[in-house]
Amino acid sequence: MLVQSALVALGATVVAAVPSLTVQGNKFVNAATGSEFQVVGMAYQIGGSAGYDPSHGKDPLSDGKVCKRDAALMQSLGINTIRVYNLDPYLNHDECASIFNKAGMYMILDVNSPLAGESINSEAPWESYYAGYLNRTFAIVDNFKGYPNTLAFFSGNEVISNVEQGGTAPPYVRAVTRDLKNYIKNHADRAIPVGYSAADVRDVLEDSWNYFQCAIDGEEDNMSKADIFALNSYSWCGESTFQESGYDQLVAMFKTSSVPIFYSEFGCNTPSPRVFTEIQSIYGPDMMGVFSGGVVYEFAQEKNNYGLADVADDGSVKLLSDFDSLKNQYLKVDWASVQSVKASTSSSSNPPKCAESLIKEEGFSNNFTLPVLPPGAQELIDGGAPGAVIGKIIDIDDYSFDYAITGADGSKLTVTVSPLADDSTNVAGSNSGTSSGSGNKTENAGFKVGAKAAPVVLLPFLAGLMAL
Ligand SMILES: *[C@@H]1O[C@H](CO)[C@@H](O)[C@H](O)[C@H]1NC(C)=O
Ligand SMILES: *[C@@H]1O[C@H](CO)[C@@H](O)[C@H](O)[C@H]1NC(C)=O
Ligand SMILES: *[C@@H]1O[C@H](CO)[C@@H](O)[C@H](O)[C@H]1NC(C)=O
Ligand SMILES: *[C@@H]1O[C@H](CO)[C@@H](O)[C@H](O)[C@H]1NC(C)=O
């Protein structure tokens, strides 16, 4: 163990990271290789709604031991991105962010939370848009801007779920997007994408997309335009099909998108157990030209029954059969091909112009005169939001944790994060995990995104979890 720790410490001079991605037209692109990136995501809100508890210094990325456990499980599944909803910018997330980074996973972060004063109110947005609200969202940017695996921020989640809300909320969400982009421009050293996560309510979906992606004539640098657009969709249930699920309609709607489109949530849970056959459609010819993957809802079991893993109060985890079903589906995908599609420079379509005629649904806002900054907010954008913990990647020299893991079949499992080599993202089937007791943690090369003919060995099902 001593020898091994010394080796790890030596290697620690280089902070390895997931490759940096940029948004080019309607795709995420690995800038170094020119390959398009597909999100293979997992909604991660460990502890459920109680998992975000700023008064007790707790949120889903604040406990390194828990992140070691969950990153290991998600790595064995094939996840390359987590989506985290409710975060406290005044907590330190260095350990968790660094663990997910080395496990080859990006983070998509919501800047809002359900607590009072921490999100835009769908019914009375003007009441919720003030400097104190922006202050916390800017602090989220400060908190996460330094991590190379921060993929994007959501300025809003399902703020517009019916036409009535569509009448008033869109200008406010677009204003928050503008404010976040201005804050990032002033205080971050890269342009981290900002976008919206929509409810898949067909009355308002197309208008929401157009309202956020359109370019306002004469607006400097298109600062209020969303960089990405995502939707929470539960229309593929059981053994469905591309047509039956209505996924085909989404592809038809979004095929002219000027920004990346992906599912910020998917995974209908009726019927149960789930079969996750949509994976083959999402990461296949049906959708890949138009969508950039999706985020499965969700890692940990809650009352609403969407979880893949049951987490007990003592931190022990029992995987559910849905975990294995999802993993099986991921293992059927040819990830080397999926993640090495060359981005075509011609595929980037220009955004539509913001105009009244762009909005189709009667009652949905077609007012592109955005609310002006509330008093005190410009000072924050210029001078910074005070008090945030500014995150940075740290070295993790020990990935072990002592929570018991049980497979869906009742077997005891041992799994730890395999730290990936630089410029790698996690991919299903490439990480065999590490059996404790072998005393030999070999660096896993992972999957080099875009590497020519990268050999991705599809290990047999359950390869990531070595039964004891
Ligand atoms: C911003 O948040 C910090 C930390 O909580 C606080 O000290 C400051 O007063 C806030 N500023 C505004 C304008 O809300
Ligand atoms: C805004 O975006 C449009 C479309 O990409 C582009 O043509 C225009 O030049 C941009 N405007 C500014 C002021 O950057
Ligand atoms: C459009 O919104 C702006 C700011 O939110 C507001 O001042 C203006 O009155 C609105 N215009 C119309 C026609 O409703
Ligand atoms: C660890 O495993 C690698 C690959 O199987 C092997 O080459 C190496 O000798 C092992 N090291 C130890 C200390 O067992």
Side-chain angles (χ1 to χ4, degrees):
M1 275 323 272
L2 269 178
V3 173
Q4 189 199 323
S5 303
L7 284 175
V8 170
L10 265 179
T13 47
V14 180
V15 176
V18 292
S20 63
L21 301 177
T22 58
V23 169
Q24 283 174 33
N26 67 342
K27 292 286 157 41
F28 293 108
V29 175
N30 177 329
T33 64
S35 295
E36 296 175 0
F37 173 76
Q38 293 280 327
V39 171
V40 185
M42 180 64 69
Y44 184 55
Q45 45 181 355
I46 196 77
S49 50
Y52 172 62
D53 185 359
S55 60
H56 293 95
K58 204 168 83 162
D59 77 12
L61 296 179
S62 60
D63 185 336
K65 273 225 157 63
V66 167
C67 288
K68 284 172 185 170
R69 177 195 68 196
D70 298 343
L73 287 166
M74 285 189 256
Q75 195 182 40
S76 76
L77 192 53
I79 297 302
N80 66 19
T81 304
I82 55 171
R83 176 187 181 183
V84 190
Y85 298 79
N86 308 316
L87 291 156
D88 181 347
Y90 308 107
L91 292 179
N92 187 318
H93 300 117
D94 289 352
E95 199 178 1
C96 282
S98 304
I99 290 162
F100 281 104
N101 180 52
K102 281 300 265 177
M105 294 179 218
Y106 296 91
M107 304 183 291
I108 297 175
L109 308 157
D110 286 75
V111 301
N112 300 297
S113 100
L115 297 188
E118 301 188 355
S119 58
I120 291 294
N121 175 342
S122 303
E123 311 299 334
W126 51 90
E127 288 176 6
S128 51
Y129 183 63
Y130 53 89
Y133 159 72
L134 289 173
N135 192 28
R136 202 194 79 95
T137 71
F138 293 159
I140 294 274
V141 171
D142 277 338
N143 198 225
F144 285 93
K145 68 188 179 185
Y147 302 130
N149 55 332
T150 295
L151 178 57
F153 294 110
F154 282 135
S155 56
N157 177 54
E158 299 195 3
V159 186
I160 305 150
S161 300
N162 56 46
V163 178
E164 199 184 349
Q165 294 168 351
T168 50
Y172 287 88
V173 175
R174 189 158 168 143
V176 175
T177 304
R178 170 197 67 195
D179 304 342
L180 286 165
K181 286 176 67 170
N182 277 316
Y183 194 85
I184 290 167
K185 189 178 173 190
N186 284 355
H187 299 281
D189 57 15
R190 67 187 170 100
I192 304 166
V194 180
Y196 177 68
S197 169
D200 182 7
V201 175
R202 302 285 162 107
D203 287 354
V204 293
L205 183 62
E206 185 168 9
D207 285 340
S208 299
W209 163 57
N210 276 324
Y211 188 94
F212 296 126
Q213 73 151 343
C214 68
I216 292 177
D217 223 7
E219 183 186 57
E220 200 183 335
D221 292 334
N222 288 311
M223 284 315 271
S224 68
K225 196 176 101 56
D227 302 313
I228 57 176
F229 185 84
L231 64 151
N232 302 335
S233 181
Y234 291 90
S235 64
W236 185 303
C237 298
E239 298 275 2
S240 193
T241 66
F242 184 52
Q243 284 78 23
E244 196 186 313
S245 63
Y247 275 21
D248 59 340
Q249 293 162 31
L250 295 172
V251 166
M253 184 192 299
F254 291 122
K255 68 171 184 285
T256 59
S257 184
S258 64
V259 295
I261 303 282
F262 60 97
Y263 289 129
S264 37
E265 288 175 9
F266 72 91
C268 173
N269 65 355
T270 321
S272 174
R274 292 185 277 182
V275 286
F276 287 115
T277 46
E278 63 266 53
I279 295 300
Q280 306 311 318
S281 193
I282 295 172
Y283 303 104
D286 282 350
M287 305 203 63
M288 270 177 59
V290 174
F291 272 65
S292 298
V295 175
V296 172
Y297 192 83
E298 67 174 327
F299 179 74
Q301 182 69 304
E302 296 183 63
K303 282 208 178 67
N304 60 10
N305 228 31
Y306 283 91
L308 302 179
D310 238 331
V311 181
D313 289 342
D314 66 1
S316 62
V317 172
K318 179 161 182 0
L319 301 182
L320 302 172
S321 69
D322 287 2
F323 184 99
D324 290 350
S325 303
L326 178 61
K327 181 170 182 165
N328 250 338
Q329 292 290 347
Y330 283 146
L331 287 172
K332 285 189 206 163
V333 175
D334 175 4
W335 293 107
S337 311
V338 165
Q339 298 288 26
S340 62
V341 175
K342 289 289 168 218
S344 123
T345 40
S346 60
S347 75
S348 59
S349 52
N350 281 326
K353 270 187 188 241
C354 297
E356 279 186 25
S357 59
L358 186 62
I359 302 303
K360 301 286 184 260
E361 190 75 28
E362 174 85 41
F364 196 100
S365 175
N366 55 17
N367 181 354
F368 295 97
T369 303
L370 304 183
V372 295
L373 270 179
Q378 189 62 53
E379 287 81 344
L380 298 171
I381 291 177
D382 294 339
V389 174
I390 313 276
K392 60 174 188 325
I393 288 290
I394 58 171
D395 294 315
I396 306 293
D397 53 15
D398 177 9
Y399 286 92
S400 64
F401 57 85
D402 48 17
Y403 299 123
I405 312 283
T406 310
D409 64 359
S411 59
K412 275 198 178 329
L413 304 174
T414 302
V415 60
T416 51
V417 165
S418 291
L420 300 192
D422 208 354
D423 279 336
S424 307
T425 52
N426 186 46
V427 66
S430 74
N431 294 296
S432 59
T434 311
S435 172
S436 78
S438 81
N440 184 354
K441 291 181 189 173
T442 50
E443 183 95 346
N444 189 309
F447 173 58
K448 291 262 191 185
V449 173
K452 279 214 175 66
V456 174
V457 183
L458 296 187
L459 299 174
F461 176 52
L462 269 190
L465 302 172
M466 308 212 12
L468 282 183

